[in-house]
Amino acid sequence: MSAENLALKASRIFLSRGRRRLIKDLSFWIEPGQWLALHGPNGSGKSTLLRALCGLRSFDHEPELSFNGQAIANLARCSGIRLIFQGHAQGWKDGLSAFENLRWQLSLDQYGAAPIGDQALESALERCGIGQQRHLPFAVLSAGQRRRLAMSRLVLSLQGAGHQQRLCWLLDEPSTALDDQGQALMGSLLGQLLNQGGFAIIATHGAIPHAPPALTCDLGA
Amino acid sequence: MKGMMRDIDSGAWWARYAAPTRFFPIAGRLVAPLFMLAAMLASIGLYIGFMIAPTDWQQGESYRIIFIHVPAAWMSMIIYLAMAFWGVLALVLNTRLSAMMLQALAPTGAWMTFIALWTGAFWGKPTWGTYWVWDARITSELILLFLYFGVIGLRASIDDDRKADKACALMAIVGAVNVPIIYFSVKWWNTLHQGASVSLTAAPKMAQTMLAAMLIMTAAAWAYSIAASLVRVRSLIIEREPSSAWNQSPSLQQKALAGVVPK
Amino acid sequence: MFLASLQRDLRLLLRQASEAWLVLVFFLLIASLFPLAMQPEPKTLLAIGPGVSWVSALLSVLLSMPRMFAADAHDGSLEQMLLQSEAWMGILLGKLVAHWLASGLPLSLVAPLIGLQYGLDATSIAVLVAGLLIGTPILTLIGAIAAALNLSARGGGALLALLMLPLCIPVLVFGAGAVEAQSAGLGAEAHLSLLGAGLIVASVLAPWACSTAIKIAMD
């Protein structure tokens, strides 16, 4: 099967927030192993577009979205895609520890697949540099440490089973608050994702260092 | 815009009128005749009710307020059901006009409920010596008024138009499902407390003229409610979709040029 | 996912146990206000006891409603749950049950204290507790719809009260009516079975309405 068939194709995307039209007739096409960088000033609709692609909010009119040649309503409801979405608010609870937060999030991500053991969680946390802090209450973690927790979720998604499905990351500004080491890790994780044949759409202000080259889409234009 | 028109023309004949563009002028043409009809019917009804219908042997002249009270009460319930109907359409078909109809009906419905409660109080005073009675129907009317306030309040608290549309649609549906349950429970409660209750349903036996007056007043209330709601829908269309209203009405264009109506 | 969601919510609640205690204290406080505002004659108290208990329970559940979804909506966990479309209903039900376990259930168990304050006899108290056990889940279910709709709105809890309270009136009527019927010697079966029927209907319809309201709010 050629890469073309497996592509995520989107066209006729119209998006408004309130009465303001943000995106008018956008189209893009991503093949497995590629990632799309969404650029644009604040308020240009990057986060809104990611949420709409997930199905959390609606487009102005029905866009033409297809994956693997089949029309889909949004990325969350596509059986051929395993979706990991990280918005601005990433969904961690202050009242739980980092470990517990990850455990819960994983039970959502891995729903329907074989569960991942605690061992794997611990090593993912180690790899991302927050192994020591894993049982601390989430509220005491710094912004950078919270980002690293988000990355450990991505690490585990790479390991998860489900080879019938393509892994897709929709990330909203994943490099915020990360130090150089963290950014390097992010870049290498992205590289791993693309090597596995997954794809990603990432809203980002600047470039992601050490990341493979990206298709770009500038919403500010 | 092109895509939208394509969808509408290919759909059912009634779906064509679901576009605010087409609905706006039609609504405009209906408003004045409906108001006139309402005024006519109301004058006839009130004349018969207050002048011609016989004095009730039990309640004297004060019973005549039912010619306003009963039609208002009926309308308050009918309008709530209509709101729920538009709510279902708004959620299922995702049409903007259905949501606007819902929003337009709510204030009229609330007014009808208020009038029913107010006139009920004025009926109660001369008849049973008290302004307020915990009668099953009056109490249910009060709760209905709160349900209307809920929909109106919800609308007012949500800034995003589309979100407000859907939230109010859901609230109207949930309320409508509950109205029979609430009425049943209040009636149950009322029958258990016979001592404290006086039934306003003990309306005087209906002479022909009384019935006629009541029906005419109800028709007047219908016509008025529809007309008032259409006026409100038109102003909602102007507010939310200026392009539809703008293209259709030369008088609006003139007003806009004079700075009265937003472009 | 139902159990996992239930476990998560209960764990979060245990770590912020003050919220649950607050609801209980509020319940007892409100019920204690009424006699202080009037003459505490035993006959009057006996007459208003059931009603006061139920109104206090309703207001206490109302107080606990804003925390049901607001925190999750704010920190982004609600949308992560929504993305799992197959597991979503189980997760939502877990949240609803967890909420009741932390509000309605403790209220029902503490209600005998209020019954004693108002001079209700043993069987009346039993009927009060039974009614609350059946009725408070309904309050949680209806309140969840109102709380979810409130997510879309700005402003505080006043709108939540306006949306929730009228819909809860039947529960109030039958719950308090059950105790009065018991005191009058008529037996409370009819009232309690109506409450039970209400619970079944609410458990079927309310989660759907609540889920729709959440999706509207997340839009």
Side-chain angles (χ1 to χ4, degrees):
Chain A
M1 198 172 309
S2 72
E4 254 187 39
N5 279 346
L6 289 170
L8 172 70
K9 299 186 200 180
S11 59
R12 286 187 52 200
I13 291 184
F14 291 81
L15 208 52
S16 308
R17 192 188 300 132
R19 296 187 192 178
R20 209 160 55 95
R21 172 89 84 190
L22 293 171
I23 298 177
K24 201 164 140 184
D25 210 353
L26 173 68
S27 307
F28 60 82
W29 176 348
I30 310 176
E31 290 174 16
Q34 292 183 327
W35 70 283
L36 177 65
L38 286 179
H39 294 305
N42 293 331
S44 52
K46 306 193 293 294
S47 310
T48 318
L49 177 59
L50 287 178
R51 291 174 62 95
L53 286 171
C54 283
L56 288 173
R57 81 189 301 285
S58 39
F59 293 97
D60 289 357
H61 311 295
E62 287 255 354
E64 282 165 8
L65 279 179
S66 71
F67 177 72
N68 202 3
Q70 289 185 318
I72 55 173
N74 54 64
L75 293 177
R77 286 193 183 272
C78 175
S79 50
I81 291 180
R82 194 151 70 90
L83 180 65
I84 303 281
F85 169 67
Q86 280 184 343
H88 266 308
Q90 296 157 55
W92 309 116
K93 302 297 297 184
D94 276 349
L96 298 176
S97 72
F99 187 85
E100 289 165 339
N101 265 311
L102 192 57
R103 198 3 108 220
W104 166 255
Q105 187 58 58
L106 227 58
S107 63
L108 289 177
D109 289 343
Q110 296 291 322
Y111 182 73
I116 290 187
D118 284 354
Q119 188 69 3
L121 257 80
E122 307 239 342
S123 55
L125 289 167
E126 283 289 344
R127 180 171 171 198
C128 293
I130 46 170
Q132 301 268 330
Q133 291 85 2
R134 67 185 184 282
H135 289 303
L136 291 180
F138 187 78
V140 311
L141 296 183
S142 71
Q145 286 169 329
R146 295 176 185 203
R147 269 297 155 191
R148 287 165 178 270
L149 183 61
M151 283 203 292
S152 56
R153 178 186 173 197
L154 296 178
V155 166
L156 288 164
S157 74
L158 289 170
Q159 296 167 11
H163 297 292
Q164 277 79 29
Q165 297 177 311
R166 294 282 153 176
L167 187 55
C168 172
W169 290 352
L170 252 54
L171 308 177
D172 202 345
E173 317 227 2
S175 304
T176 336
L178 278 180
D179 55 17
D180 291 334
Q181 205 188 20
Q183 299 215 356
L185 181 58
M186 184 70 225
S188 82
L189 288 178
L190 191 50
Q192 240 185 296
L193 169 74
L194 299 181
N195 283 339
Q196 281 187 358
F199 54 98
I201 305 177
I202 303 182
T204 172
H205 276 304
I208 296 185
H210 315 287
L215 310 165
T216 55
C217 169
D218 196 343
L219 292 178
Chain B
M1 210 46 199
K2 246 195 312 185
M4 222 162 42
M5 293 306 280
R6 204 191 322 139
D7 295 332
I8 289 166
D9 285 330
S10 61
W13 64 268
W14 49 264
R16 272 188 256 131
Y17 299 103
T21 325
R22 300 207 198 202
F23 185 78
F24 189 83
I26 297 174
R29 286 197 285 271
L30 288 174
V31 167
L34 279 173
F35 271 129
M36 286 196 305
L37 182 65
M40 233 169 49
L41 289 172
S43 10
I44 299 175
L46 286 173
Y47 179 71
I48 300 180
F50 281 79
M51 301 293 160
I52 300 188
T55 312
D56 181 60
W57 67 273
Q58 203 177 25
Q59 296 186 25
E61 301 296 333
S62 61
Y63 88 96
R64 294 184 192 275
I65 196 126
I66 62 167
F67 295 117
I68 304 178
H69 169 79
V70 172
W74 281 347
M75 280 319 294
S76 70
M77 291 196 259
I78 293 173
I79 291 180
Y80 202 89
L81 286 176
M83 263 179 30
F85 167 74
W86 290 116
V88 171
L89 283 188
L91 278 186
V92 168
L93 297 179
N94 208 21
T95 40
R96 299 179 317 278
L97 195 57
S98 318
M100 288 196 259
M101 277 306 296
L102 194 161
Q103 190 184 348
L105 283 169
T108 307
W111 272 116
M112 287 291 164
T113 318
F114 182 74
I115 291 172
L117 287 170
W118 202 246
T119 51
F122 280 115
W123 186 8
K125 183 68 180 162
T127 322
W128 291 289
T130 160
Y131 278 116
W132 183 260
V133 281
W134 289 96
D135 164 79
R137 290 233 287 250
I138 286 283
T139 311
S140 303
E141 277 292 302
L142 182 62
I143 301 173
L144 190 65
L145 186 61
F146 289 134
L147 288 176
Y148 273 113
F149 283 159
V151 173
I152 297 173
L154 189 59
R155 181 88 218 183
S157 320
I158 302 181
D159 296 319
D160 183 84
D161 283 333
R162 286 306 286 147
K163 199 178 281 200
D165 284 347
K166 295 186 211 168
C168 291
L170 185 63
M171 187 63 208
I173 296 171
V174 169
V177 166
N178 272 275
V179 160
I181 301 176
I182 293 175
Y183 181 66
F184 172 66
S185 69
V186 173
K187 221 166 146 89
W188 176 289
W189 159 84
N190 188 246
T191 53
L192 291 177
H193 300 87
Q194 285 278 298
S197 83
V198 189
S199 180
L200 283 172
T201 65
K205 274 254 186 325
M206 285 286 150
Q208 284 282 41
T209 39
M210 293 182 195
L211 191 57
M214 193 100 85
L215 291 174
I216 295 175
M217 286 303 290
T218 308
W222 264 94
Y224 167 77
S225 303
I226 298 178
S229 309
L230 287 178
V231 168
R232 229 176 257 119
V233 165
R234 278 167 55 91
S235 55
L236 283 175
I237 294 178
I238 293 177
E239 195 187 301
R240 287 174 54 167
E241 325 235 342
S243 52
S244 346
W246 172 251
N247 290 329
Q248 296 302 319
S249 168
S251 64
L252 267 187
Q253 291 176 2
Q254 282 179 333
K255 283 188 197 159
L257 285 172
V260 170
V261 166
K263 287 186 203 173
Chain C
M1 287 301 296
F2 169 74
L3 285 175
S5 163
L6 181 60
Q7 198 183 28
R8 169 184 178 267
D9 269 34
L10 285 178
R11 181 176 291 163
L12 279 168
L13 219 62
L14 276 171
R15 295 188 185 167
Q16 295 224 293
S18 58
E19 288 186 17
W21 283 114
L22 209 60
V23 171
L24 269 184
V25 170
F26 186 75
F27 181 45
L28 294 169
L29 178 61
I30 295 280
S32 309
L33 288 178
F34 285 82
L36 292 170
M38 55 176 87
Q39 287 180 327
E41 272 175 46
K43 260 206 306 207
T44 326
L45 289 184
L46 194 56
I48 66 172
V52 166
S53 316
W54 268 95
V55 170
S56 311
L58 179 54
L59 292 177
S60 310
V61 173
L62 173 65
L63 185 72
S64 69
M65 269 306 147
R67 74 165 147 81
M68 192 175 225
F69 297 122
D72 282 344
H74 187 68
D75 61 25
S77 25
L78 200 55
E79 58 191 26
Q80 293 295 333
M81 295 184 230
L82 262 180
L83 285 173
Q84 304 304 320
S85 40
E86 297 123 21
W88 164 242
M89 260 311 168
I91 297 173
L92 181 59
L93 289 173
K95 290 187 76 61
L96 293 172
V97 172
H99 184 269
W100 178 72
L101 287 175
S103 62
L105 181 61
L107 287 183
S108 316
L109 298 176
V110 161
L113 292 178
I114 298 185
L116 289 174
Q117 269 186 313
Y118 282 79
L120 297 178
D121 65 24
T123 36
S124 299
I125 292 181
V127 171
L128 178 64
V129 172
L132 283 172
L133 282 172
I134 306 175
T136 42
I138 308 179
L139 297 181
T140 296
L141 287 167
I142 297 177
I145 305 177
L149 283 171
N150 205 35
L151 285 176
S152 311
R154 57 169 190 278
L159 180 67
L160 184 58
L162 178 59
L163 296 176
M164 177 181 170
L165 294 179
L167 300 173
C168 291
I169 286 175
V171 180
L172 190 63
V173 164
F174 291 122
V179 184
E180 288 178 3
Q182 182 63 36
S183 317
L186 295 168
E189 292 89 18
H191 290 83
L192 291 178
S193 34
L194 277 170
L195 274 182
L199 179 57
I200 295 176
V201 170
S203 338
V204 169
L205 295 179
W208 169 82
C210 183
S211 161
T212 309
I214 293 178
K215 288 179 189 165
I216 294 174
M218 292 283 109
D219 204 349

